Amino acid sequence: MPDSPETSLAEAPFDKRAVRRDFGRAAATYDRHADLQRRVAAEVAALYRRLAPGGAERVLDLGCGTGYVGGDLARDAGAPGTLVALDLAHPMTRRGRVAGHPAVTGDADRLPFAAGSFDAVVSSLTLQWSNDLEATLRGVARVLRPGGLLVASTLLAGTLEELDAALRGTGAGRVGPFLEAPEAAAAVTAAGLAHGECRPAPEVDRAADPMEVLRCLKGLGAVAKDPGRARGLRGRRHLGALCRAYREATGRPEGPVPVTWNVGYLVGWKAS
């Protein structure tokens, strides 16, 4: 049985075919634009070490991307005996796999593992692409053994607020959707993970200009994935209007512009 029921494209915020396609295409360019992703993955790995100081034998790297969390954990003295990399996009699975460990191409919303398969699940900046966070985390709870640990990061409401304002100002859609921190924490608990929490950690980067923001997002594969996504923004006129709206939203008529990320760190334990 799948971890979550089928959801029609009319109901789902994200078209998983687009998620798979866009991140597959971005596998070759991802690392050039992933400063935030590296920092957040390092924090996920550090949080995992604090909460599981002795390490775990079998660990799932959920949404492995190009392998930042898994690679970090594999370099530890207490590296997992088995570290399984999973990503929806096969090119990411190939890049994110740690040498000597298995990799699986699959959907975080429909985990292809038996119950109790893992001692821990780690995940960095993947869960924001879930169509139902609680259902996805129920799947995580299912594949954890009793006493198993989840440590993950996701993006929360307020992320890319400058771009969101620009998109709304030009009638070109919205960013997200992203959950508020209490909603994300509630999803962890509702999924059956004890002591569930979400620790928000907002930060603001700088980009040379709005076009750099858009190029970075495209290089990461983090472009619109809703079923009704508009494609007109690719024209110069639309891009120009969007960049002007971005500067208006930030009050920066020239020079570098802010880029807000509201990262949330999720923690939960499978009841013993």
Side-chain angles (χ1 to χ4, degrees):
M1 292 289 289
D3 295 327
S4 57
E6 291 289 341
T7 304
S8 72
L9 290 183
E11 298 170 332
F14 303 115
D15 179 348
K16 283 305 185 80
R17 294 169 297 186
V19 175
R20 180 185 299 110
R21 180 196 65 229
D22 293 342
F23 283 110
R25 289 174 177 172
T29 58
Y30 190 91
D31 291 343
R32 300 177 211 165
H33 304 279
D35 290 345
L36 172 87
Q37 287 70 19
R38 288 186 180 90
R39 296 196 303 269
V40 173
E43 182 58 31
V44 168
L47 182 57
Y48 167 82
R49 292 187 193 99
R50 290 197 295 272
L51 296 175
E57 179 60 25
R58 288 183 55 83
V59 176
L60 171 63
D61 183 3
L62 182 64
C64 62
T66 58
Y68 295 150
V69 177
D72 195 327
L73 296 184
R75 290 189 291 270
D76 279 354
T82 301
L83 177 62
V84 180
L86 178 139
D87 204 281
L88 181 62
H90 188 59
M92 289 290 195
T93 307
R94 291 202 308 268
R95 291 178 68 90
R97 175 180 176 271
V98 174
H101 294 268
V104 176
T105 298
D107 191 346
D109 290 352
R110 306 169 68 89
L111 292 176
F113 304 109
S117 296
F118 297 98
D119 302 303
V121 174
V122 294
S123 180
S124 190
L125 297 181
T126 291
L127 294 174
Q128 67 270 12
W129 298 111
S130 170
N131 278 323
D132 183 335
L133 180 60
E134 181 184 328
T136 300
L137 293 177
R138 282 200 300 270
V140 169
R142 180 183 65 81
V143 302
L144 280 171
R145 64 162 178 78
L149 170 66
L150 165 71
V151 180
S153 63
T154 189
L155 295 176
L156 302 172
T159 291
L160 296 172
E161 61 183 12
E162 305 87 357
L163 179 58
D164 187 61
L167 288 168
R168 287 187 285 112
T170 56
R174 296 291 305 269
V175 167
F178 298 120
L179 297 178
E180 300 283 352
E183 294 176 297
V188 177
T189 300
L193 295 170
H195 310 294
E197 61 177 301
C198 175
R199 308 174 184 181
E203 56 181 287
V204 180
D205 282 343
R206 291 287 183 272
D209 53 43
M211 274 303 300
E212 183 182 343
V213 178
L214 299 177
R215 284 193 295 267
C216 176
L217 292 173
K218 183 177 181 181
L220 292 168
V223 294
K225 304 182 193 309
D226 56 291
R229 60 197 178 281
R231 299 186 179 274
L233 288 175
R234 296 178 180 177
R236 287 187 179 180
R237 182 178 301 176
H238 289 90
L239 285 173
L242 185 61
C243 289
R244 288 191 296 274
Y246 195 109
R247 288 197 175 279
E248 290 171 5
T250 60
R252 303 291 178 88
E254 58 184 26
V257 294
V259 187
T260 298
W261 304 97
N262 192 12
V263 181
Y265 294 92
L266 309 180
V267 174
W269 283 262
K270 176 77 169 285
S272 298

